[in-house]
Amino acid sequence: MLDDGIYGLSYRSGEAGDVAFSEGLAVLRAGQILGSDRWGGIFKGSCEYDAEAGVNRVHVRLEMPPGGVLITGLCAGAEGAALEISCAIERPAPSSNATVHLHGQVVAVELTYIGPLPA
């Protein structure tokens, strides 16, 4: 089960010699996720622990700003875009990895626990 707190995200897409890389931050509180990346993408969603499988099921909606481009090369266009993203990820110790599929492209995600939320 993921602890409430602040998490760092790093993600990459592509093959050797043509790899795109970026980072973001997320906050998890009571199963709700809110985060952003350095390019203006905002993601909101939820996280539930699947005790039978021993993983956390993460579901987020990524809202891309107008003209935004994903690391996979997908362009949001003049109005921006929204994508639904789901994955299963283990508890970070200190980090854990998952794979996400976005429009036929594979994105590797690394999640790192930074610390608890302020009281």
Side-chain angles (χ1 to χ4, degrees):
M1 174 178 298
L2 293 177
D3 293 328
D4 284 356
I6 301 170
Y7 289 84
L9 300 161
S10 61
Y11 39 94
R12 67 185 188 295
S13 177
E15 301 294 326
D18 189 31
V19 174
F21 176 83
S22 195
E23 298 175 310
L25 281 176
V27 173
L28 175 66
R29 184 188 307 259
Q32 298 300 301
I33 300 168
L34 177 62
S36 67
D37 67 20
R38 63 184 181 173
W39 306 108
I42 303 292
F43 48 94
K44 302 173 189 175
S46 63
C47 177
E48 305 89 31
Y49 183 66
D50 181 341
E52 187 174 311
V55 295
N56 299 280
R57 304 271 180 208
V58 175
H59 310 280
V60 295
R61 177 181 176 90
L62 171 63
E63 297 176 2
M64 297 170 55
V69 179
L70 287 179
I71 62 172
T72 61
L74 175 71
C75 184
E79 291 83 37
L83 301 167
E84 300 295 328
I85 302 171
S86 296
C87 71
I89 194 160
E90 295 179 358
R91 182 181 180 142
S95 64
S96 59
N97 299 295
T99 301
V100 175
H101 298 273
L102 294 174
H103 290 273
Q105 300 289 322
V106 176
V107 176
V109 178
E110 182 177 64
L111 181 69
T112 305
Y113 182 72
I114 295 174
L117 296 170

